[in-house]
Every structure is written in structure tokens, then in C-alpha cells.
Amino acid sequence: MLFRSLGRGQQLDDFEGGVASWTSFGNTLTSDSVTFLVGSKSAKMVANSTPFSISTTQSFGDLSAYSGAASGAPITGTLGIWVYLAAATAIQSVSLKVGSSASNYTQVSGVKGGYASKIAGWNYYVFKLKDGSTVGNPNWTAVSYAFLNFVSSVPPTIYADYFTIGKGDSIALNGIGRRVETPTAYVAVPAV
């Protein structure tokens, strides 16, 4: 089932301002105004190798209220991002590094949120910070680093939209005003 919840998360990047603050590795990264979930743009990645990734050093600000810690290993918090796949098998896994720098971060594997298997269409990945491994001493009051890594068997074209953080360990602000928690059914959201 889907539950409405307001005010329990923060948008980190919805890619409405483009992708200039992101750097790509193993893919061509562009802003896309055809396939998006929220607003009118997404980040389009045309992979030419696998794995492929994107990273940024943009300031996300003070996220300590979400991580449950001012510095060091996070106690709580969940990040989320929507990823559009043309085929359900387009990517095998997603991982995230997030923190105050490329030397001070928590790395966590993405888990499919809301339903058991990937679908052709929009898939919501969640990253539970407390399940990650911490490198260095991230400063959660000044977060300015994120690195998303995608593993695939064949380099695909994917889209990413609405990168967020939320309180708790199983939900994250997800861009459509709803939080996915153990649903009994799921209706695919088509590409726009």
C-alpha cells in the first residue's frame, strides 16, 4: 500500500537545473526533457562501459537531521532516486557514496523500494545509510559529495530523477508525494 507523507524529507537534486554539477564516468550524461518523473527534466546516461557512474561535489547542506549524526557513521536516514530502465534487466545493481568529500563518505548499496523486482519503466532505489560502510569521518552538517555507480551486463541508456533524503530506515521522500512501504500492488508509472 502507498502512504502519503509530507515534510519528512528533502530534495537533493531533481535535475531541473540540468546536469552541469555532475561528472560522468563511462557514460555520456545529458539533461533530458522527454523522459522524466518530476518537473520537466531528468539526467540521461548513455553508458559506453560497465560499470558506469556519475558524481557531484555540489553542496547538499546540513543533512545531520536525516543521518542522525553530526559526523562519522550515520545512525539512520534513507536516500532515494528514481531510475528509468527501458528493460527490467538494464542494470543489475546501484550503489551510492555520500558524505562531505571523496575521502569522507558512507557507501551503501541500493535496494529496490516498493516492489520485489525491477520493471521496464521507473524504478525507485533506496539507500539505507545505517546499512552502509563509512570511510573517513563524514561531516553530515556540510554534505557536498555524492557518487552513484550502476552495474549492468550490457551498457544501457537510463534516466535518473528526483534524488532525495528522508528520515527513518525504510522510506525516503520519493518525488510523487508518496512513500512506498511494503505494497500489495504496484502500477508502473509510464515515461512522459
Side-chain angles (χ1 to χ4, degrees):
M1 70 194 334
L2 297 172
F3 295 97
R4 282 208 176 269
S5 182
L6 301 174
R8 290 187 56 197
Q10 177 178 324
Q11 174 184 296
L12 300 177
D13 198 337
D14 64 358
F15 304 103
E16 292 302 300
V19 294
S21 62
W22 292 83
T23 302
S24 62
F25 305 93
N27 69 92
T28 301
L29 176 64
T30 58
S31 182
D32 187 80
S33 59
V34 176
T35 303
F36 55 86
L37 184 67
V38 176
S40 61
K41 293 182 184 173
S42 67
K44 179 180 180 181
M45 290 166 260
V46 180
N48 51 39
S49 66
T50 185
F52 60 99
S53 53
I54 58 174
S55 72
T56 185
T57 56
Q58 67 181 292
S59 174
F60 296 121
D62 184 349
L63 302 183
S64 62
Y66 300 103
S67 68
S71 62
I75 299 166
T76 189
T78 301
L79 287 98
I81 192 164
W82 285 96
V83 178
Y84 183 86
L85 310 173
T89 57
I91 57 174
Q92 281 70 52
S93 65
V94 182
S95 62
L96 169 70
K97 295 177 184 177
V98 63
S100 50
S101 72
S103 302
N104 298 283
Y105 60 84
T106 293
Q107 180 172 348
V108 62
S109 295
V111 176
K112 287 288 292 96
Y115 45 98
S117 59
K118 292 179 292 223
I119 62 166
W122 287 103
N123 294 266
Y124 187 55
Y125 287 89
V126 295
F127 307 87
K128 296 180 183 181
L129 288 175
K130 75 174 189 177
D131 293 345
S133 59
T134 299
V135 173
N137 188 32
N139 179 356
W140 296 105
T141 66
V143 175
S144 58
Y145 173 73
F147 182 94
L148 281 158
N149 190 61
F150 301 89
V151 175
S152 61
S153 57
V154 176
T157 296
I158 66 170
Y159 302 82
D161 203 0
Y162 213 71
F163 182 44
T164 62
I165 190 167
K167 292 183 178 181
D169 296 325
S170 61
I171 55 177
L173 183 69
N174 72 20
I176 56 176
R178 293 175 282 175
R179 295 169 176 274
V180 184
E181 301 177 346
T182 60
T184 56
Y186 175 78
V187 177
V189 178
V192 177

